[in-house]
Amino acid sequence: MCHHQQGNHDCDVSFNVLSNKHFESEFDRLITQNGLLEGPVCGHCGARYLDQPGNFIFNGSHGKIPAGKNGRKAKPAGFRVIHKPCKGKAGARFTVSLDHQQQEKMHDNVRLLRALVNGARITALRKLLVDPDTGKKCGVERVYNRIFWLEKNLLAFERAKLKEWRDKTEAQGGHPHMRIAHDDVVIGVNWESRSDRRLTPLQCSVSADIDTGYVFRIDANFDTTVDPVQVVQENYLDDQLMPTNVRQAYAQKSGNNFTVPSMHFQRPTGRFEEAALFASAESHWRVFSLRLDKEYAAQGLAQLPQDDLDEIANANEHRKIFNTLRNGYFGFQETDRDSRGSFNGSVVKPTYTKAAHLACLRDLLPAKRLTIVGEQEASMVRVVPHVFRDWIQEDRFEWHVMHFDKNASEPENSRRATAFKTAFDIYKARAHASGQTQTSDHALLSQFCAGAMAPAFNRDPSGHMTPFPIINFRSVQFPQLWVRSGVEIHGETREVVGFPVLRKKYRQKLKGSAFHVMPTDPDLCDALARRYIKATIHPVSSFMNSLRERVSPTKRARGRSARNGPSYINGATFNPAVLVAFLNIYRINYNRFEERPYSSASARNSNQVAVSSGTQSIRRPGSKVKVKAPKQRKLAPIQSTPAIRLGADARRMTSTTRATPDPRRILYRPWLNHGTPLWKKFETR
Ligand SMILES: [Zn+2]
Ligand SMILES: [Zn+2]
């Protein structure tokens, strides 16, 4: 964080040096969803089957699943494969089977899914999985394992379906223009003990399609795969428990050589929030010796056996060296998080997660042109131009940033929307009267917006105009003009929109404009108006609202809409990996298994169908006589899922006999290996 004085306050430009290596590790973490989608791996060299299935050959089947009562034939449990380049070496021949093949549990798993997405807490899920014969409740660990299993299978299913969709769309020449809403959502999780109610914020990057509401990814800055103790020991300690790797050597021109402690982008752990990582590694050892002590104390033993005394001495030695590293070499600030140290994983620096999230998104979409709409986030400034560099050069990418009135209440928002609608109706009537009868409403809206557009700026205490955006956006690489306009068609009101990246032809023109003067070029103004009316992050916020309503661990614990102050979140989120699983399961359910109406002010197709003007019966009060009256409704919203609207679900939008997909048909197929020879093997066994 820069603390140079600008005027009478800090300039607050945050400046981190990013490391490509860390970015690539983070990208790999997100693309494999914390390793869940990594698939089979050669035990000798670590090559992934899914990367190059052609390098693996089949070597017979393994095991048998006995015939079922329902007439199902016996079939092999798994298949042996050999990684050809490593043939003959240890680990190169291995068996691939599917986890949880017993179909008897299928019913349970589907019930679990339904309960999860409808706000059940862990305690309710445990009751749900009670053994019907013995009445024995299911352990929390087993509930977690079921949840992780659901997460993995749903993610694999979604990846396969999205890939099909991308290939199909690309074969047809690609999606002409996709608009993606992106926002950061902070979920405060309590993963401390019951007596310790501090919340740790996890930052989640969410991206959703503006036209259809499809939520492509939600990525939390938490790496569930790492063991903090292991990471620190492997990277910084040698066999004698001496620090290695902690200094960087430099040579000056004068021939002077010197070393200094490595900077975070040079350190192997630089991708993580290192203060928390080291604190957690240290506390794992502390918890370990405390538990040993406690177990013996409970037995009434004052003196521990020698073996355990050695263990405790060893733990103390590790803690000492960890503390030397934290405070002596790297100078991390004290942190008292993770004091329980009961789970693995580490918080990742949000910039890396953000960059990797956008890179995953970029590779997922079959878009010819792409527009990202987001809020003013400092980290986006550093990440977006980097991740989309090639797209920007090819003139296929735009980035719009919006600001809106977050403090407005719901009634205030609808009052503003109504005021706008009235003004626009008058505008339309005038336009029609003056002969513009052929112009579509959408074109008129764009005209109205262009006419009402004005520069947005702030004023400093002495009344001078200052640029609107936060300091990170005031760089010369971006156009400085941000605009407001009276158009209120999204959930957000009093919108101000900036255009950091625009198509080249407009960008050059806009960069010539001062921050407080509207450009005079009518082409440019029309282009800005068209963009302004499509700038929204509503798809992300409506997804998050529905998530918060339905999934108890994600309720907003703090912030403006908190109803009863900071709320404590029960049991469910002691382990952040479970929270991540909740998010993914809910997201896929939202995208594919639940039909809802959706309207987007910028959708190409109307999301409503005309219904015949029937009649209805209204009962006369105090009697049984019914009076006939015409139905009001002329348009009915179409119920569908985001996947159908996106075209990533083969079922037809207009079909009236369409059923919601049955999770039972989906969960038990080998989606992880979709599109490879293994998929065929499992499907036809
Ligand atoms: Zn500065
Ligand atoms: Zn190999």
Side-chain angles (χ1 to χ4, degrees), residues 42 45 83 86:
C42 167
C45 69
H83 187 216
C86 300

PDB file of all heavy atoms in Angstrom, residues 42 45 83 86, ligand 2:
ATOM      1  N   CYS A  42      -0.677 -40.676 -13.510  1.00  0.00           N
ATOM      2  CA  CYS A  42       0.371 -41.692 -13.560  1.00  0.00           C
ATOM      3  C   CYS A  42       1.139 -41.665 -12.247  1.00  0.00           C
ATOM      4  O   CYS A  42       1.643 -40.627 -11.831  1.00  0.00           O
ATOM      5  CB  CYS A  42       1.314 -41.447 -14.730  1.00  0.00           C
ATOM      6  SG  CYS A  42       2.841 -42.410 -14.647  1.00  0.00           S
ATOM      7  N   CYS A  45       5.211 -40.577 -13.030  1.00  0.00           N
ATOM      8  CA  CYS A  45       5.688 -39.237 -13.409  1.00  0.00           C
ATOM      9  C   CYS A  45       4.664 -38.143 -13.084  1.00  0.00           C
ATOM     10  O   CYS A  45       4.969 -36.961 -13.183  1.00  0.00           O
ATOM     11  CB  CYS A  45       6.020 -39.189 -14.902  1.00  0.00           C
ATOM     12  SG  CYS A  45       4.577 -39.297 -15.946  1.00  0.00           S
ATOM     13  N   HIS A  83       0.550 -45.831 -18.336  1.00  0.00           N
ATOM     14  CA  HIS A  83       1.096 -44.628 -18.965  1.00  0.00           C
ATOM     15  C   HIS A  83       2.247 -45.089 -19.868  1.00  0.00           C
ATOM     16  O   HIS A  83       3.289 -45.522 -19.390  1.00  0.00           O
ATOM     17  CB  HIS A  83       1.610 -43.649 -17.896  1.00  0.00           C
ATOM     18  CG  HIS A  83       2.015 -42.335 -18.460  1.00  0.00           C
ATOM     19  ND1 HIS A  83       3.080 -41.609 -17.984  1.00  0.00           N
ATOM     20  CD2 HIS A  83       1.498 -41.608 -19.481  1.00  0.00           C
ATOM     21  CE1 HIS A  83       3.203 -40.486 -18.685  1.00  0.00           C
ATOM     22  NE2 HIS A  83       2.259 -40.459 -19.590  1.00  0.00           N
ATOM     23  N   CYS A  86       6.022 -44.317 -19.414  1.00  0.00           N
ATOM     24  CA  CYS A  86       6.633 -44.803 -18.172  1.00  0.00           C
ATOM     25  C   CYS A  86       6.517 -46.321 -18.059  1.00  0.00           C
ATOM     26  O   CYS A  86       6.744 -46.875 -16.976  1.00  0.00           O
ATOM     27  CB  CYS A  86       5.969 -44.172 -16.958  1.00  0.00           C
ATOM     28  SG  CYS A  86       6.090 -42.397 -16.922  1.00  0.00           S
TER      29      CYS A  86
HETATM   30 ZN    ZN B   2       4.147 -41.492 -16.311  1.00  0.00          ZN
END
